[in-house]
Amino acid sequence: MSEVPGAGKVARFSAATLVESGAIALPSRIRPLEASWRIAGRAFTVDLAGGHNIWLHHAVAAAAPGDVLVAAVAGDPDFGYWGEILATAARVRGLAGLVIDGCVRDRHELVEIGFPVFARGLCIRGTGKDTSVGGLGRPVTLGDVTVRPGDHVVGDADGLVVATADALDGIAARAADRVRGEAEILDRIVGGESTVDIYGFARAAPRVGA
């Protein structure tokens, strides 16, 4: 996982911890092809026309090492927008990963290459190369979340989050507090306390009958 300025503040935390600390969750339909993959880095945004992936080629050439490509698809997601060739090129360029609200292909090869890909699914349909629609470095919308160039993205097996660069310090501080607090709660659970007592939940009245 490549390091970029700012990413280290939040990269060590899980996506679940970060979303509880103020980061914004991206759509849960976008999942890692391999559960062990993690990404953290600055968003390099890509706007794709349905059925065309030419702007991903340009993005790989234009993005800086450590960037995470974040691609929105305006149209049908069921094409193989990314595969072995682009993953190899992105890894050579030192990019940190791909987040795409669309499908990819060459799953076996992508796992072997080890370049982290978070995608909506798999599809073997090939793509065209029309440059008349789409582009780079503009705000893109995934689900109901807008991702802007320079935002920071973190992802793991549980999902993806995004945050603006100026929010990272606060999110990181809250995440660290949360991790410490949860460690104490886990110790208390191991020590025999119930979660009902730890959290101060009202005791439920016993249910009579089925």
Side-chain angles (χ1 to χ4, degrees), residues 2 9 14 30 34 36 64 91 95 100 107 116 121 123 130 133 140 146 160-161 177 180 184 192 200:
S2 301
K9 297 175 182 178
S14 71
I30 307 174
E34 183 74 9
S36 63
R91 184 170 185 179
L95 306 187
I100 181 168
R107 183 188 188 281
C123 184
D130 184 3
V133 180
V140 296
T146 298
L160 292 151
V161 298
D177 288 342
R180 284 191 293 269
E184 294 173 0

Side-chain angles (χ1 to χ4, degrees), residues 119-135:
R120 190 164 174 165
L122 296 167
C123 184
I124 58 175
R125 294 168 68 191
T127 55
K129 301 294 184 283
D130 184 3
T131 59
S132 66
V133 180

Side-chain angles (χ1 to χ4, degrees), residues 39-203:
I39 56 171
R42 184 178 47 226
F44 186 97
T45 56
V46 188
D47 189 14
L48 296 176
H52 296 270
N53 77 342
I54 184 62
W55 289 109
L56 282 171
H57 288 269
H58 287 298
V60 169
D67 282 353
V68 174
L69 303 182
V70 179
V73 177
D76 192 345
D78 289 327
F79 285 87
Y81 291 96
W82 183 273
E84 179 182 12
I85 296 296
L86 280 169
T88 301
R91 184 170 185 179
V92 170
R93 289 274 299 144
L95 306 187
L98 168 71
V99 174
I100 181 168
D101 196 11
C103 294
V104 300
R105 64 183 185 182
D106 301 337
R107 183 188 188 281
H108 178 74
E109 290 80 5
L110 295 183
V111 171
E112 283 193 339
I113 292 165
F115 181 80
V117 173
F118 287 61
R120 190 164 174 165
L122 296 167
C123 184
I124 58 175
R125 294 168 68 191
T127 55
K129 301 294 184 283
D130 184 3
T131 59
S132 66
V133 180
L136 305 178
R138 61 181 67 165
V140 296
T141 301
L142 287 73
D144 59 356
V145 180
T146 298
V147 180
R148 294 173 175 82
D151 286 351
H152 284 254
V153 179
V154 176
D156 57 28
D158 283 335
L160 292 151
V161 298
V162 64
T164 60
D166 60 3
L168 293 181
D169 285 336
I171 291 171
R174 290 188 292 273
D177 288 342
R178 185 174 181 85
V179 168
R180 284 191 293 269
E182 288 188 345
E184 294 173 0
I185 289 169
L186 290 170
D187 286 342
R188 293 174 66 180
I189 291 171
V190 172
E193 293 185 64
S194 74
T195 55
V196 171
D197 290 334
I198 291 171
Y199 289 111
F201 297 145
R203 289 280 180 176

